[in-house]
Amino acid sequence: MKDKTIDAILDGALLGDDLSPADGVFLLKQTDSEAIAAIRNTADQLRYIQAGDIVTYVINRNINFTNICEQHCSFCAFRRDDGDAGAYWLDWGQILSKATDAVERGATEICMQGGLNPQAQINGNSLAYYLKLVETIKEEFPQIHLHAFSPQEVQFIARIDGIEYADVIGAFRDAGVGSMPGTAAEVLDDQVRRVLCPEKIDTATWLEIVGTAHKLGLPTTSTILSGHIETPEQQITHLEKLRSLQKTALEQGYSGKITEFIVLPFVGQEAPKSLRRRVGRDQPVLNDALLLTAVARIYLGNYIPNHQPSWVKLGLSGATAALQWGCNDIGGTLMEEHITTMAGALGGTCMAVETLQNAIASLGRPHQQRDTVYKQVINH
């Protein structure tokens, strides 16, 4: 059987067909500028069909509560050992003052993630520490949406305390966590993970934890860390796993599902030399990130309609370009962001609402503030 043509694949996608993994790989391997333009155009049309013309954004603050971490991911310049220069661990007062500042600046969301600090316990209990983090913010600001704790953190707590993932996630949900970041996914392929993050959870564990969150009614986001050592085949395997996870949530009628997909291009400037040598560059290649963005929209859009670029990693101009390659959301204000910035990203750590609005308006598209789960925020 002859390979499908680009046109046949893209026409099928516009009619609502799901791409096969082989179709996805075929699109990612295109190098001809006309073929790439056709892929971009299809992604843009599907974005319009699936998510409309309005570009959304969220007013949020990032709180990375500690950079002390027991793991040594090869791409991470954020982590420190306890006692290292630059190691930090915020106390309750500092957490509360960052939350207060966020609310005063109009935030509807606080995103909270941190290093895996084995000392982060209360009376020998890891979950108790994390619940206190939640309580510190929610007691003062019950209205704020807490988007907190990655699948990696869930596994860490469950392991330290000897409990099930569902126990951790259920406790978070009951304490007021509103959604879980789909980070620590990197690439959902264990060959890649063995090089990139050998101490991190494996693919099956990531999928199990996110699937459990959906079942327990907690929405999640989804991400891919791209542009390092992974192949187009591995990128598509990743997208296929996310699509199948989302299909399960939809078919089972879970109240939790994936709300958005974000391409996170690898920033290698501060990565260890061995990984930098393998990757061969320090900053993302914008064209590669944009092609993956477009193919992800075509591959996932029937099931995950919201797609977002990372202005932290691509810079604002790269993220604005991504709005023409299938993205319908430009992300959040963040207010502070340490993990990517410490890796050497050039995008900055804070974005004023007006700056995001102007970037969207430069494309002649309308903008709208949203909350974490993509409901419109009405400003009075």
Side-chain angles (χ1 to χ4, degrees), residues 83-121:
D84 281 357
Y88 75 87
W89 183 9
L90 302 180
D91 63 32
W92 309 119
Q94 290 168 304
I95 300 264
L96 192 56
S97 80
K98 284 178 185 288
T100 304
D101 177 60
V103 170
E104 284 168 358
R105 289 158 69 179
T108 61
E109 169 192 302
I110 286 175
C111 176
M112 196 157 51
Q113 301 177 81
L116 307 176
N117 183 352
Q119 292 169 38
Q121 299 186 2

Side-chain angles (χ1 to χ4, degrees), residues 297-320:
R297 161 63 70 183
I298 299 167
Y299 205 89
L300 299 172
N302 286 331
Y303 305 95
I304 305 174
N306 298 307
H307 287 235
Q308 180 193 119
S310 169
W311 58 255
V312 178
K313 292 178 188 286
L314 289 175
L316 186 60
S317 63
T320 306

Side-chain angles (χ1 to χ4, degrees), residues 307-365:
H307 287 235
Q308 180 193 119
S310 169
W311 58 255
V312 178
K313 292 178 188 286
L314 289 175
L316 186 60
S317 63
T320 306
L323 296 173
Q324 298 177 295
W325 289 74
C327 288
N328 62 296
D329 182 83
I330 202 162
T333 51
L334 291 184
M335 301 189 192
E336 60 174 317
E337 192 287 331
H338 299 297
I339 295 172
T340 302
T341 308
M342 286 168 84
L346 306 174
T349 61
C350 179
M351 206 52 85
V353 171
E354 293 72 21
T355 310
L356 294 177
Q357 290 175 340
N358 291 339
I360 296 162
S362 73
L363 301 175
R365 304 240 304 266

Side-chain angles (χ1 to χ4, degrees), residues 33-110:
S33 61
E34 276 185 28
I36 290 171
I39 292 167
R40 182 193 75 81
N41 190 28
T42 301
D44 197 45
Q45 286 182 66
L46 286 171
R47 181 269 310 156
Y48 182 75
I49 293 164
Q50 293 159 348
D53 217 29
I54 295 172
V55 180
T56 48
Y57 62 89
V58 63
I59 301 182
N60 61 353
R61 177 169 200 143
N62 225 28
I63 301 179
N64 303 125
F65 51 90
T66 182
N67 64 351
I68 298 168
C69 188
E70 65 171 19
Q71 294 193 343
H72 307 81
C73 299
S74 67
F75 55 86
C76 185
F78 170 73
R79 70 161 304 283
R80 297 287 184 274
D81 287 316
D82 192 16
D84 281 357
Y88 75 87
W89 183 9
L90 302 180
D91 63 32
W92 309 119
Q94 290 168 304
I95 300 264
L96 192 56
S97 80
K98 284 178 185 288
T100 304
D101 177 60
V103 170
E104 284 168 358
R105 289 158 69 179
T108 61
E109 169 192 302
I110 286 175

Side-chain angles (χ1 to χ4, degrees), residues 194-376:
R194 275 194 284 277
V195 175
L196 212 57
C197 49
E199 299 164 48
K200 261 196 177 141
I201 50 178
D202 62 12
T203 298
T205 307
W206 191 93
L207 292 166
E208 181 189 347
I209 290 172
V210 175
T212 303
H214 295 161
K215 200 181 292 187
L216 294 175
L218 212 57
T220 71
T221 56
S222 63
T223 57
I224 185 171
L225 180 72
S226 67
H228 38 86
I229 60 169
E230 86 288 13
T231 62
E233 286 80 4
Q234 289 165 325
Q235 290 178 337
I236 292 295
T237 296
H238 180 101
L239 296 182
E240 177 58 33
K241 288 187 159 75
L242 293 180
R243 187 168 78 177
S244 139
L245 191 65
Q246 183 77 330
K247 277 179 164 174
T248 301
L250 293 165
E251 284 160 9
Q252 300 295 326
Y254 297 152
S255 52
K257 45 189 168 292
I258 297 171
T259 57
E260 68 188 9
F261 174 73
I262 310 163
V263 173
L264 301 171
F266 172 77
V267 177
Q269 192 166 315
E270 302 300 329
K273 284 194 175 60
S274 59
L275 185 63
R276 282 181 70 190
R277 268 201 300 273
R278 280 187 72 162
V279 176
R281 63 191 142 65
D282 290 342
Q283 293 296 334
V285 177
L286 180 61
N287 288 346
D288 293 352
L290 293 175
L291 180 59
L292 178 58
T293 297
V295 173
R297 161 63 70 183
I298 299 167
Y299 205 89
L300 299 172
N302 286 331
Y303 305 95
I304 305 174
N306 298 307
H307 287 235
Q308 180 193 119
S310 169
W311 58 255
V312 178
K313 292 178 188 286
L314 289 175
L316 186 60
S317 63
T320 306
L323 296 173
Q324 298 177 295
W325 289 74
C327 288
N328 62 296
D329 182 83
I330 202 162
T333 51
L334 291 184
M335 301 189 192
E336 60 174 317
E337 192 287 331
H338 299 297
I339 295 172
T340 302
T341 308
M342 286 168 84
L346 306 174
T349 61
C350 179
M351 206 52 85
V353 171
E354 293 72 21
T355 310
L356 294 177
Q357 290 175 340
N358 291 339
I360 296 162
S362 73
L363 301 175
R365 304 240 304 266
H367 49 72
Q368 171 64 53
Q369 187 185 342
R370 62 160 174 96
D371 68 9
T372 310
V373 293
Y374 284 80
K375 292 200 169 60
Q376 183 173 333

